[in-house]
Amino acid sequence: MSDISRDMPRMGGCGCGGSGCGCSSGKQPRGVIRVADIGAARAKTDQAANRAEAARLAKMVVVHKEEVGDGPYARFTAEQKRRMREAPGNPASHRIVRIRRAVQIATFMLFVAFFLLTTATGENKYGVDKNFFMLLDFLNTLKNTIASHHLALYAVGPGLFILLLTLWGGRIFCGWICPLGTTIDIADRLLYRKGRIFYSKKRSETRRFRNYKYIYLLTGLGALAWGIDILAFGDPISLITRTFTFVIYPPTAFVWNAILNSADAPPLHIGSVIYRMGGNLDSLRFPMTHYYNGVAVMLIFVGLLALSGYQERFWCRNLCPYGGLLALISRISWLRHYIKMDGCIHCKKCELQSRMGSYENLDRNAKAAPQHSISECIQCFRCETICPTDVIQIQARIPASIKEKLRLAPAGDAPRPEPQTEIDLGKRRVVASLGAGILWGTLVKSSPSEYQGIMRRYNRNEKAMRPPGALEESAFVAACTRCAECMKVCPTNALQPATFEFGLEGLWTPMLIPSIGPCAEKCTSCGDVCPTGAIRPFTWQDKRYKIKMGLANVDKSTCVAWNGGRDCIVCAEVCPYSAVVFKDTFDDTLPKDPTLPIDHKDPITGKEDNRGRTKRVPTVDERLCTGCGLCEYHCPVLPTHSIVVYSFQEDRSYQPPKENWWDGFWRGDWDKRKDAGKDAQYAATAAELNKHIALQGPASTVSPGADYNPDPHPGQ
């Protein structure tokens, strides 16, 4: 086309080509199209079409990268890529994940079952401790032994089991057993996964909060120097047990009992049917309880679950003190993660989807070497199941250093796990954390109420009493983990969490409130269930003859018998220890004849003849009173009872029953072994008290061998 003129005139245009016609002027004549313009327009159209097609193809490449063989998958065949998409990892890892989920569900259901069986009559059933999960938390045993100088011997066995399990498999307890961890996983699946109400497309994977659990642990250890336990508020088993007791159990019991009441009402009469079959519907009812501070405990638990909306298992990753202790121990564990880096395609799925953020530096362009933090890993096996090329292997191998020292493998040939990330707290943070704990303990112990002398062991509220079997006050506060097991097991709901009755260090520790419920005479459940020994095991003989929780006192200004001379013997009738005794006293403010005025005068002599008479009034024998609170609970005077138990003359010294270190696993003969020898131990004391009761006159019981009792009542 070189011979074709580049200027193509249209039909009817100028064809002279001369210069005089004006066709060759600077301005192109109207209606004339140049060949060069046609080529440029065609080129632009082709370029636009090519760009659109390229964008379409690029989009297909991005969407179906694996199919076309781009990026890290380029070296695999189509069949291999299909298998990696459909079944990543290896079949064994998927089976282990199913086993792990089954174990989590089973242990959680066992925890719930043990919780419901933690009652005054169910604690020692079947020989297994119903507080077994509390005993698995050896952080409680460790810190409370340090702070209180008292070792809960029967907690040693379960704690040792978890220690050995951690040395072998790392934080298996956190990922497989811990009921709080399972609760967080359940909440995560119900609330934060795709399609759920609080779903977030991408939760944070930051690792900047990872060391907070170590800071909390160090701060708690610093406070233990003063015997102050702040780790109890974040300890996972104590936290979930406390939450179940204060928040979940009361409404559950209310709803369940309402269902039973409805079933027993017409026309069903389920209770009658069960009775004819030899059962009792009432045995299926849950005790109705209520507790102080339930709202605060509920808010803490809700906040803990809400943190998972920001980061998966945020509590376990960053704040749990028991997790921090297990993380330190697991750094030398045997169950480790091995990655065949020559087969890794750097897809970063393990790093991005790790439940605890355990993998680092797996990007192709990462400057540092790939790392796996075994101290953070909870052995959930998720990483192995999502690895497309199955290069992650989780195995419990003999450490390479041991193999090489024993010459079981040539130097440098034994497989080594991926290097661990460092726990870099820094010297300043360590010192600051310990110092913060010591400072907190100093502030708490600097309270003026701490300086009231050794003679007054109860240094605050004189009505704030501890349960029977409690350690000496400072040791009790240090040993108590605020798990609320003792409050849950109390049959009368008398044990309640303290607020500030014992100061800051006594927050949520159990206190006995007789106006809510008395301490039942032969109940020993709180001592049996305490996992830390803050409440030592005791027998009903210990409580009757040695332990004193306080002393009852009669308020003469409000008592019906004292203030008015009316007959009232309720306190004496309910006292199982014969500690309330009635005595005669003369009162010149009472009329002899209630039908006449008190200043009535004899018509003959003119003298007053109706003033004063003898009245029978209650008094408390301090030698026999144990401070159980039965008299206060049953006193008919309201709103403030006329007989009130104070912590005066409380005595916590006694010889507790002998325990064994394996009792945490099996206590089938505990009731028999606990009571062995107690009758002989207190025989002399019992005889002396019986003689004392006989000499006191009217009492509420007939004592065996008593010589004198002018007003006996039928035996119990």
Side-chain angles (χ1 to χ4, degrees), residues 17-52:
S19 58
C21 68
C23 296
S24 58
S25 62
K27 186 176 180 181
Q28 182 174 329
R30 188 176 181 180
V32 177
I33 300 177
R34 297 170 57 89
V35 174
D37 295 336
I38 296 175
R42 184 176 297 168
K44 290 181 180 179
T45 303
D46 293 343
Q47 289 176 4
N50 290 338
R51 282 196 300 269

Side-chain angles (χ1 to χ4, degrees), residues 17-187:
S19 58
C21 68
C23 296
S24 58
S25 62
K27 186 176 180 181
Q28 182 174 329
R30 188 176 181 180
V32 177
I33 300 177
R34 297 170 57 89
V35 174
D37 295 336
I38 296 175
R42 184 176 297 168
K44 290 181 180 179
T45 303
D46 293 343
Q47 289 176 4
N50 290 338
R51 282 196 300 269
E53 180 66 16
R56 187 180 67 83
L57 293 175
K59 187 176 181 181
M60 292 179 61
V61 170
V62 171
V63 176
H64 304 291
K65 186 183 293 183
E66 299 180 6
E67 283 77 357
V68 299
D70 276 5
Y73 296 90
R75 63 190 182 195
F76 301 105
T77 65
E79 179 62 19
Q80 289 174 325
K81 288 181 283 189
R82 183 188 66 80
R83 291 180 180 177
M84 285 189 288
R85 289 194 306 272
E86 295 179 357
N90 59 74
S93 64
H94 288 274
R95 286 195 297 269
I96 293 176
V97 168
R98 288 194 291 269
I99 293 173
R100 188 255 303 165
R101 290 172 179 167
V103 171
Q104 280 189 280
I105 294 173
T107 53
F108 183 77
M109 296 304 295
L110 186 63
F111 169 78
V112 173
F114 279 2
F115 176 82
L116 295 177
L117 285 173
T118 306
T119 62
T121 58
E123 164 56 22
N124 293 325
K125 277 186 178 180
Y126 315 119
V128 180
D129 283 305
K130 305 310 179 293
N131 61 347
F132 179 71
F133 283 87
M134 287 297 308
L135 304 181
L136 293 177
D137 189 347
F138 70 88
L139 174 61
N140 277 328
T141 305
L142 178 64
K143 64 184 176 63
N144 294 327
T145 300
I146 294 173
S148 66
H149 306 157
H150 175 79
L151 173 63
L153 187 62
Y154 80 121
V156 171
L160 184 62
F161 166 74
I162 293 298
L163 175 61
L164 295 176
L165 182 64
T166 305
L167 289 173
W168 176 81
R171 294 176 62 180
I172 286 182
F173 176 84
C174 301
W176 293 57
I177 302 174
C178 179
L180 180 59
T182 302
T183 303
I184 293 174
D185 284 345
I186 294 173

Side-chain angles (χ1 to χ4, degrees), residues 283-337:
S283 64
L284 300 178
R285 301 182 189 276
F286 290 158
M288 293 297 296
T289 59
H290 62 278
Y291 300 96
Y292 300 155
N293 302 309
V295 174
V297 174
M298 180 186 67
L299 292 177
I300 291 174
F301 186 69
V302 171
L304 183 151
L305 297 180
L307 288 173
S308 295
Y310 173 76
Q311 185 179 71
E312 188 174 6
R313 274 216 180 199
F314 184 94
W315 170 264
C316 308
R317 288 193 191 196
N318 307 309
L319 299 176
C320 179
Y322 193 31
L325 178 62
L326 296 179
L328 295 175
I329 299 172
S330 64
R331 294 184 69 84
I332 57 175
S333 60
W334 282 28
L335 186 63
R336 301 293 290 274
H337 292 225

Side-chain angles (χ1 to χ4, degrees), residues 551-555 559 561-562 568-583 616-635 642-645 692-693 696-701 709 711 713:
L551 180 65
N553 181 68
V554 179
D555 186 351
C559 177
W562 276 97
C568 179
I569 58 172
V570 172
C571 50
E573 286 182 323
V574 299
C575 180
Y577 305 104
S578 302
V580 179
V581 180
F582 276 83
K583 295 185 177 180
R616 306 207 74 188
V617 295
T619 59
V620 178
D621 189 336
E622 62 182 36
R623 188 174 180 180
L624 299 174
C625 181
T626 65
C628 70
L630 271 164
C631 54
E632 178 178 347
Y633 178 75
H634 289 282
C635 180
S642 293
I643 183 166
V644 179
V645 182
H692 180 74
I693 292 171
Q696 289 301 306
S700 62
T701 60
N709 192 339
D711 188 15
H713 292 270

Side-chain angles (χ1 to χ4, degrees), residues 566-599:
R566 290 167 289 175
D567 293 333
C568 179
I569 58 172
V570 172
C571 50
E573 286 182 323
V574 299
C575 180
Y577 305 104
S578 302
V580 179
V581 180
F582 276 83
K583 295 185 177 180
D584 294 334
T585 182
F586 183 80
D587 189 349
D588 60 359
T589 64
L590 298 177
K592 294 179 182 179
D593 185 355
T595 62
L596 299 176
I598 191 172
D599 58 351

Side-chain angles (χ1 to χ4, degrees), residues 21 64 177 184 208 245 279 287 292 331 333 372 386 392 496 503 524 607 625 650 669 684 687 701 703:
C21 68
H64 304 291
I177 302 174
I184 293 174
R208 59 180 174 174
T245 301
Y292 300 155
R331 294 184 69 84
S333 60
H372 174 260
I386 63 176
I392 299 178
Q496 295 286 323
T524 63
K607 296 182 179 180
C625 181
E650 58 101 26
D669 61 341
T701 60
S703 304

Side-chain angles (χ1 to χ4, degrees), residues 331 333-339 370-372 374 393 395 397-401 414-420:
R331 294 184 69 84
S333 60
W334 282 28
L335 186 63
R336 301 293 290 274
H337 292 225
Y338 298 81
I339 305 178
Q371 292 180 322
H372 174 260
I374 190 63
Q393 301 294 325
Q395 298 177 349
R397 297 175 177 174
I398 299 175
S401 57
R416 283 175 164 78
E418 298 311 304
Q420 302 186 48

Side-chain angles (χ1 to χ4, degrees), residues 382-404:
R382 177 192 284 181
C383 57
E384 190 172 355
T385 60
I386 63 176
C387 181
T389 55
D390 191 24
V391 297
I392 299 178
Q393 301 294 325
I394 305 175
Q395 298 177 349
R397 297 175 177 174
I398 299 175
S401 57
I402 297 179
K403 273 190 173 183
E404 293 170 358

